[in-house]
Structures are given as structure tokens and as C-alpha cells.
């Protein structure tokens, strides 16, 4: 995992966009973003994921593979994933193969880019503005965890500005400081 401020250039979203200003794990935690590197055997990693599911009350999971040949309407889906949005539930992803970027907004509304790759487990809290993109390899396979039935329901900005989870998230990061 590598995190840094996004450079805000208009180049392809799959490029690094590294501003040269690193973001620490502590800074991510202050945004309520959680990161863990799982580097055990597949069985050991699955044990850790199962424990996380029990701890957080998650009942379901699936796997998603994203590439031009594996995902129907690939370019349109990438645009959807890259639109700034929130979710009403936290988003938990474990990268099985490949690489991608989660961009999250910090408290000052700046984009922080998080490069994730095989073995990275990322928890993006409910209510945080974020987006996702692949890197230039155009491939990722990830496990997605869900509390109930698998669903991915984005609420785009600005509609999400008054959403209860968005307001709760903003209060939580203010109180955290």
C-alpha cells in the first residue's frame, strides 16, 4: 500500500497521479480508513478475513475481476467507479491479484490516492467521499465483503452531502481529532 495526495492533473485516471506528498497510515486512520497487509498463505488470510467478518457482522462476500476482457461495458463501468460517491455501508476490499487505486477525500476535501495490490485489505468507512480506478495494468481481482446481500449502491456527490451516513462520518472525523 502506498498513499499520497493526488496531483489533480487531467491525465488518464489509471496513471499514478503522485503529487510527491506522502500520506501516512496514521493520517488514513484519522479519516477512519483502515489498512492491513495480509501476507500469510491463502488459508491464513482467509482465517483473518473470516474473523473480520465475525467481528463486524458481515454475512456475505463475492469476488470481482475487472479488466477489459472480464467486465462487460468496461470503460463505462470504470467511469461509474471513478465518479465521486459515498456508500451507506463501509466498503471492505481484499485484493487477490492486480492493482488499483482508491481515492478518498481528506478532512480538507483533498484527494488522497491509495494504491492497493495483492494482499492489501482496505476498509473505507460509510459516508466518506471516494472513488476507484484500476492502474495502467487494467486488472484487479478482489474479494468484496457485505453485511447482507452483495450490493454496490453509490450515492454521488452532491446528492450525498445531506445523507445521514455522510453527516455521521463528518462528525466522527471531527470528534476523532
Amino acid at each position: 500500500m502506498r498513499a499520497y495526495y493526488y496531483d489533480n492533473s487531467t491525465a488518464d485516471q489509471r496513471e499514478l497521479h503522485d503529487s510527491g506528498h506522502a500520506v501516512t497510515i496514521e493520517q488514513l486512520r484519522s479519516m477512519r480508513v483502515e489498512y492491513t497487509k495480509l501476507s500469510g498463505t491463502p488459508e491464513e488470510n482467509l482465517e483473518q478475513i473470516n474473523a473480520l467478518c465475525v467481528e463486524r457482522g458481515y454475512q456475505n462476500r463475492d469476488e470481482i475481476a475487472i479488466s477489459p476482457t472480464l467486465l462487460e461495458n468496461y470503460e463505462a463501468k470504470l467511469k461509474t467507479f471513478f465518479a465521486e460517491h459515498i456508500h451507506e455501508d463501509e466498503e471492505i476490499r481484499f485484493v487477490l491479484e492486480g492493482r488499483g487505486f482508491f481515492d478518498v477525500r481528506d478532512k480538507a476535501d483533498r484527494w488522497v490516492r491509495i494504491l492497493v495490490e495483492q494482499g492489501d485489505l482496505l476498509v473505507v468507512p460509510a459516508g466518506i467521499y471516494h472513488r476507484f480506478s484500476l492502474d495502467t495494468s487494467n486488472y484487479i481481482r478482489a474479494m468484496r465483503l457485505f453485511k447482507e446481500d452483495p450490493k454496490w449502491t453509490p450515492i454521488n456527490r452532491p446528492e450525498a452531502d445531506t445523507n445521514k451516513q455522510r453527516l455521521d462520518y463528518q462528525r466522527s472525523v471531527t470528534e476523532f481529532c
Side-chain angles (χ1 to χ4, degrees):
M1 187 278 306
R2 189 170 132 218
Y4 49 87
Y5 284 101
Y6 189 83
D7 69 6
N8 292 320
S9 80
T10 58
D12 187 318
Q13 70 196 40
R14 291 167 268 214
E15 298 293 333
L16 283 175
H17 290 279
D18 189 344
S19 66
H21 300 283
V23 173
T24 66
I25 287 180
E26 290 76 25
Q27 287 172 293
L28 291 176
R29 284 188 192 126
S30 76
M31 294 180 267
R32 300 287 198 225
V33 173
E34 300 174 38
Y35 167 78
T36 305
K37 180 70 168 185
L38 301 184
S39 55
T41 66
E43 294 80 18
E44 291 168 338
N45 291 344
L46 189 56
E47 280 182 31
Q48 288 184 286
I49 290 168
N50 288 339
L52 179 71
C53 288
V54 169
E55 173 188 320
R56 289 179 122 96
Y58 279 70
Q59 303 295 319
N60 287 300
R61 65 187 76 176
D62 70 5
E63 287 185 16
I64 186 168
I66 304 172
S67 78
T69 58
L70 296 173
L71 187 65
E72 191 173 318
N73 300 317
Y74 172 77
E75 291 295 335
K77 291 280 190 186
L78 273 189
K79 286 181 182 171
T80 300
F81 296 155
F82 200 65
E84 184 173 6
H85 62 277
I86 68 165
H87 298 287
E88 292 185 332
D89 292 318
E90 66 185 1
E91 188 169 336
I92 302 179
R93 302 294 182 260
F94 175 59
V95 181
L96 299 163
E97 297 176 324
R99 295 165 37 124
F101 301 108
F102 275 90
D103 297 338
V104 296
R105 290 281 189 185
D106 74 359
K107 294 176 226 173
D109 213 33
R110 298 171 296 185
W111 282 118
V112 172
R113 175 151 274 200
I114 306 166
L115 171 64
V116 292
E117 54 196 348
Q118 185 174 354
D120 289 344
L121 177 72
L122 193 68
V123 180
V124 178
I128 190 173
Y129 278 117
H130 67 283
R131 60 191 184 188
F132 174 79
S133 180
L134 293 179
D135 72 351
T136 55
S137 70
N138 287 313
Y139 176 72
I140 196 168
R141 186 170 67 92
M143 180 184 295
R144 305 184 301 175
L145 305 179
F146 300 94
K147 288 196 174 190
E148 296 174 2
D149 291 331
K151 65 177 181 170
W152 186 83
T153 308
I155 304 168
N156 290 345
R157 195 172 199 177
E159 292 81 22
D161 287 344
T162 57
N163 178 280
K164 179 186 181 323
Q165 278 69 26
R166 174 67 186 158
L167 299 173
D168 288 349
Y169 169 76
Q170 288 176 304
R171 274 190 294 279
S172 78
V173 294
T174 301
E175 293 166 3
F176 188 76
C177 292

